[in-house]
Every structure is written in structure tokens, then in C-alpha cells.
Amino acid sequence: GLRHAYAAPVDANKVATWYIPNDGVLASTYNSSTGRAAEQVIESHRWVSAVVIGNRAFYGNVKTKDENEQDVIYDSRVYHTSPGLLDEVYAFRFFDVSRKDGDKIVALEAWGSRLFVFKERGVYIYNVGGGKIYEEKRLKGIGAQTRNAITQTPFGIIACDVNRVSLITPSSAVELSYAIRKTWQGLTLDRPSVSYDAINNRIIIVTDSDATTTNRLYIYDFDTKSWSNEKYTSIGASNTLQKLSNLILGDNLYPLVAE
């Protein structure tokens, strides 16, 4: 099943930091990498999700400042940068994603030269590989509840919402949860998280990351095209679940979670 680690309290009297050795080679500087002087100020932005495609960065659901230096949130907007200048986000370089649907951007994902923009009840696929960015496809009625409910697989992007688990490619969306639809729609989804298990060729879904008792992991096997579930319990002495982190893929290609 799922590998997990235990996050314990740390000594508040000590501070740790990464050590980066100085090899004495100035192969790249801030100025040579960006073309800007170190003292040059650029606009400040915050964002919910971001991806890099073709050496360009895309930022979705952005918080920035208007001409009066007041905070403003563009929750259906995607900003994009020039190639190689991933930190230069200008107010004029953006596109809006279906503002009329009333949903916020939950996450951005990359698949080749395609940008997938996820909302709770919609997926919007953009071709960003050439000089022009344009929408190729939109999938209504499916989406993702949180950014952790999305993951990459060799077959496409997996997205989980309250109605279904979908496998999404640039051309189509397939419901993987069809065989367990009634069970899936009866689950409580609280910060769901999904990851791809590359060793066993399956996806693993934690439906309730805030559970404080026994949790069930829902597992889809790509080889057998079947569903199963496993009981997840804490490794803590009390055998009571702590809140779980999002799933990540470890060095051994197994999904990992911290509690």
C-alpha cells in the first residue's frame, strides 16, 4: 500500500539550514540569467498553482496589486512569462479562463505542449506550444476539488471530484470510477489526495486527509482495470490518524505521505 512517515515535534532551540558549497566558478549570475540588474524591482505576485512548459511559466489564480497598490485577486486568470524569464510576470501578459462559469482555478497541469486548467466543474485545455496560445478543448461537468486531487500518469492526468475519478488526455476524458460510481459518490471527500504508484502501475487515492480514525485508500490498477481499497492506520503509538499531507512520489517511485 502506501508508505508513510511520521512528523514529530522539533527542538525549538535549534536552527537548521542547507549547506551549499562555493565551488568558486561563476558560470551563471543573476544578470546573465535574467538580463536584469540585481537592484531592478519587478512586480510581486502570489498564485495558487503554476507549471513550466517550454521554458515558460504559467501562473493561475493570481493575487497581485492594481494601479492603486490595492490587493486584487484574479481567480480565473492565467499569467504567462517569456521563455527563460520565469519570474517576470507582467500585468498585460495573461488570458482569462471561462470567467462566466463562476468557478476559481484550482490547479494547472502540463502535458506536452498543452496546459490543463482545472476548476471544480470544468477542465480547459490550451495549446501553448507555439507563438499563439489558444483553447483547444473544454470538458464541462468534471474537474478537481483541490490541487492535490490531480496527478500525472503515463496514460494521462488523473483528476478526482465529488462525482467521479477521471483520466484526462488532450482529446478525451474517461471515467475510471464507473464500476464503483455509487460507492465513490457516497464518500466524504475532505482534502482528497491522489498519486501514481509507478512500481505497481496504479493510482492511490486518500479521500479524507483530515480523518482522525481509520481511513480507506482507494486504489485503481491500470493492469487489471479494477478497483480495491486498503485500510490505512497510523504508525503512531495511539494508532489514531493524524492529519495527512498531500501525496508525493518518492525516490523509489512509491507514493509517500506524511502524518
Side-chain angles (χ1 to χ4, degrees):
L2 181 66
R3 296 338 193 239
H4 52 272
Y6 185 69
V10 299
D11 191 335
N13 296 318
K14 296 181 177 64
V15 177
T17 185
W18 293 107
Y19 170 66
I20 303 176
N22 181 7
D23 58 10
V25 179
L26 299 178
S28 178
T29 66
Y30 181 82
N31 180 263
S32 66
S33 298
T34 67
R36 298 191 303 267
E39 62 272 12
Q40 182 178 343
V41 178
I42 58 176
E43 295 181 31
S44 175
H45 296 79
R46 298 178 182 179
W47 60 90
V48 169
S49 184
V51 295
V52 176
I53 304 175
N55 206 20
R56 284 194 297 173
F58 295 81
Y59 301 91
N61 196 338
V62 174
K63 180 178 181 180
T64 184
K65 293 184 181 296
D66 61 16
E67 63 275 9
N68 298 316
E69 291 298 308
Q70 300 296 312
D71 287 339
V72 58
I73 298 175
Y74 298 107
D75 53 22
S76 289
R77 181 167 293 182
V78 175
Y79 286 88
H80 54 95
T81 71
S82 298
L85 301 176
L86 307 185
D87 61 341
E88 280 193 359
V89 185
Y90 292 115
F92 59 86
R93 193 174 286 140
F94 69 89
F95 57 91
D96 289 319
V97 180
S98 189
R99 294 176 60 183
K100 294 181 180 179
D101 63 14
D103 282 348
K104 301 176 182 179
I105 293 175
V106 173
L108 304 181
E109 281 288 342
W111 185 267
S113 61
R114 269 61 176 185
L115 171 69
F116 287 68
V117 182
F118 285 88
K119 296 188 176 185
E120 286 194 26
R121 303 303 304 155
V123 183
Y124 304 84
I125 303 172
Y126 286 80
N127 189 319
V128 299
K132 183 180 179 181
I133 297 174
Y134 59 94
E135 183 183 309
E136 281 190 335
K137 197 176 189 66
R138 62 175 61 187
L139 304 170
K140 303 298 292 183
I142 63 175
Q145 189 181 43
T146 69
R147 57 185 174 180
N148 294 328
I150 303 169
T151 195
Q152 294 265 1
T153 77
F155 316 104
I157 298 173
I158 299 295
C160 305
D161 61 25
V162 295
N163 289 319
R164 57 189 277 174
V165 180
S166 302
L167 174 65
I168 305 171
T169 67
S171 60
S172 65
V174 177
E175 182 185 357
L176 296 183
S177 55
Y178 180 79
I180 60 165
R181 182 184 289 176
K182 184 176 181 180
T183 299
W184 179 262
Q185 293 180 356
L187 297 173
T188 298
L189 298 185
D190 191 354
R191 292 198 309 114
S193 184
V194 59
S195 183
Y196 176 62
D197 178 353
I199 297 296
N200 298 299
N201 195 28
R202 59 185 187 169
I203 57 173
I204 296 177
I205 304 172
V206 176
T207 60
D208 186 354
S209 295
D210 282 335
T212 55
T213 56
T214 300
N215 207 332
R216 287 279 178 181
L217 306 176
Y218 281 80
I219 301 167
Y220 179 80
D221 191 309
F222 280 105
D223 295 329
T224 63
K225 294 180 172 58
S226 62
W227 284 91
S228 62
N229 62 70
E230 294 181 8
K231 184 179 180 181
Y232 176 90
T233 54
S234 172
I235 62 174
S238 65
N239 205 35
T240 299
L241 281 178
Q242 310 298 315
K243 291 185 177 181
L244 304 181
S245 73
N246 59 299
L247 285 158
I248 64 169
L249 198 62
D251 293 338
N252 57 4
L253 299 184
Y254 281 109
L256 302 174
V257 68
E259 63 176 359

